Amino acid sequence: MFDDFGFITTLIAIVAFLFARKARNEVRVLNARLNAFEAAAAAAPISAAPATPRTTDAPEVAAVPAASRVADSAPTLQPDAPQASAAKPTTTSMPAAATTAPAGPGFEERIGTRWVVWVGGLTLALGGFFMVRYSIEAGLLGPGVRVLLGGLFALALLLAGEWSRRNESLSTIAPLPIANIPAILTAAGTATAFATVYAAYALYDFLVPATAFILLGIVAMATMAAALLHGPALAGLGVAAAFVTPVLVSSDRPDFWALYLYLAVVTGAAFGLARIRLWRWLALTTIVFAILWTLPGLDEGLKHVGPNSFHVLAGFLLASLLVVCGFLYGPPAEAGRIEPISSGALSAYLLGGMLVALSSFHSDIGMTTFGLLVAGTLFVAWYAQAATAAVGVAAGFVALVFLEWAVSGNPDMLVLPGGPLAGIGASPIEGSVTLHLVSAAIFAAGFGLLGFLAQGRSVAAIIPVIWAGAATFVPLALLIALYARIAHLDRSIPFAILAVLIAAAFAAATEMLSKRQTRPGLAIATALFATGTLGALALALTFALEKGWLTIALSLMAWGTAWISMQRPIPFLRWLAAILAATLVARMAWEPRVVGDLVGTTPIFNWLLWGYGVPALSFWGASILLRRRGDDAPLRMVESAAILFTVLLAFLQIRHFIHGGDIYRDTAGLVEVGLQVCVALAMAIGLERLRIRTGSIVHNVSALLLTLFAGAATVGGLLLWENPMLRTHDVGGLVFNELLLGYAIPAVLALLLSYAVAGRRVAKWANTIAGFALVLALAYVSLQVRRFYHGPVLSRGITSDAEQYTYSLAWLAFGVVLLGVGVMFNSQRARLASAIVIALTIVKAFLVDMSVLTGVYRALSFMCLGLVLVAIGWLYQRILFSRRMVPPAAPIAEA
């Protein structure tokens, strides 16, 4: 609780100043408009007199003062409407100002009749609170006198409010119902009465709890009755003041039992008023205030778990009785419709119960309170379908409580083979484990049984679907939490048997539901129970086998879910398969080795093959099944997971093989980069072929991304970072060496990829890929020549004239081979590549060979180059150009 609340008065002053500042700027405009309106109304009978015959009602209208005539124009002229319609010549000349309804309240009227009154009432209440506080701090009066004066002040405000309400007809502002002076005075009186009773009990111990409860109940009932007479203004101010009272009237020795007893009375009164007047806003405001008052005692752990538990239980009971539609005293409900306030009220108190359980470190009281709230939610929602959404919220909160217990606990003490040491005492967590085991069994049985029995009880599909979803989710979530806490994610045959029993129960439910007649939501519920069967079987495999089998089990579950979606076309099942795929992706991001250090060093046949290969195969199968019913977001998620797992399988297997099982090695090599480039290019070729058949945007984008990766790895890895010319590295044998894997094979694959995209993508994309193929091939030829002269380490030694000449000769021969291929297969692309290589050879001859080579090597270089160029010219003239058909001559007759 807080002691200094001067900011409240400061805030009120600032708001009042802003209102006054804005009002001053509009007063002149409002006065001008009012004067013009009154002048027009006063002149209306005069202007209409020549055209209107004198009637008996005319003197009455003229005799009414201008201000009253404007205010009463609508009720005065309404009875004369039939007569005016009968006298057609006179009705056409009646001015519009005398027949139109009065305009709404202006800005000045709102300030003078509403805001000033509201601020005044709030100021009266604050004045009473601060007077009590001042008397406490200054010691002016004794505790008894303070309480007496507070009670008298509250009584005076209540009497004034009632007197003003009864004499409201005598006030000059009687026609203005927006002047809620009686309601404001009554609200200030009830708030002061609340504060007085609470101070007499909590501060001065004048009242025992029973007396305080009775007095607070009387004040609450009086407030509710007064709100029935005065309207929502009193209800809003009274409830707000009642909830803020414990903050304003503070104490150095807070008593949480007294606080929550007081709040229970206030909550009950507010809920009762909201039920009688059907004020949804009041119920919602009360729920928000009540949940906020749960927070003060949570930061002290077990100290206030009892009062906090009472607070949420009492609020939940009151909300169930008075707020939930269709249950006991709640408002009437529409069949098959989920009402937000009903479900939200129960969900809010479930949140409070979960916070109590977590803040008390899963104590017996906290867990019992949370269990009672969950059981109450199921009971209320069973009879009131308006609160069915709270069932799903309860299922989620149950899973969160147990998962938090599994994560925050100390699992090492649970897996000690010998248990607690003899003579030391029982295990400090024995009771906690027992309590959670019993609670989990009750929760799983309750959600599962009620979820099955709820099928066919509603005219709307959403009701049984929520019950079925909770029935399948809660047992599986609790099973995972208990397994993580007790078995420490190790093999556990008892948990595997338990998972098989749950799968059998879900399978039996699926079989029985599938034989029933069609009812709303039955098909979706049946599919959910079938999916729960697959999930429980997957968990059974996980518990009985090693850790990595969880990945395999979940992936197979995604395939099974896709197959079920083919049998029962339910959109939720498609999303479930996508969610499972996303879950596996997140799991692999957390530990890419699947089973950690147990992945081993065996090439290929290791846990990477099972951990990535089986999911990849499963997701490919699921995508094929899902595609049969259309292309949507779940299908694209599953396809993305299939491609991702396939790529990761290949890349990680390469790293595993190269580095002896260490996939986290911070270095790479020429072979690894070359193999990854080969894999990326090969997969890009496959995806380019596949996207033509499927038209999938995922296949399209994945092919582009793999191609870009291969290009980046080629430039940054093969040509720069891992280039054996730039770093000391042994490339291996003379012919079968690392250069073959790093440059030759990638060049061939890049060439095949360029042909795969030719004509199906823009020409620049295919030409760019072909250019990379040419660069890799030329790099391989050059590096192979250096390997012949320098041995396996290419970065050592100087370049001799013979080596320099061999480069020119090899380039020239490579260009000739490309030209021959282009001529043989009539490939313009190959001939262009040949021209590029030969052009590079010419440039090298004139820029390098001419200045570096000496003697016979220089002569041979230019001689060979010249002969080749002449031969190429002859080839183009005799073979390529001769193939051009001569256009036929024009007929002689036409000439």
Side-chain angles (χ1 to χ4, degrees), residues 13 113 236 244 276 296 300 403 694 875:
T113 60
V244 176
I276 293 175
E300 300 186 28
L403 290 176
T694 63
L875 181 65

Side-chain angles (χ1 to χ4, degrees), residues 673-757:
V673 177
L675 289 176
Q676 290 180 350
V677 170
C678 292
V679 168
L681 291 173
M683 291 184 179
I685 294 173
L687 289 174
E688 290 288 350
R689 299 294 185 185
L690 183 61
R691 76 178 183 88
I692 298 174
R693 296 176 54 188
T694 63
S696 172
I697 187 175
V698 175
H699 297 159
N700 184 18
V701 174
S702 299
L704 294 176
L705 292 177
L706 285 172
T707 304
L708 292 175
F709 170 80
T714 298
V715 175
L718 298 179
L719 300 179
L720 296 176
W721 186 254
E722 300 297 339
N723 193 333
M725 287 284 294
L726 304 179
R727 59 187 307 170
T728 303
H729 180 68
D730 190 341
V731 298
L734 181 62
V735 177
F736 297 99
N737 49 39
E738 296 182 2
L739 300 178
L740 191 66
L741 293 175
Y743 297 94
I745 298 178
V748 175
L749 291 174
L751 181 62
L752 294 176
L753 179 60
S754 68
Y755 279 101
V757 301

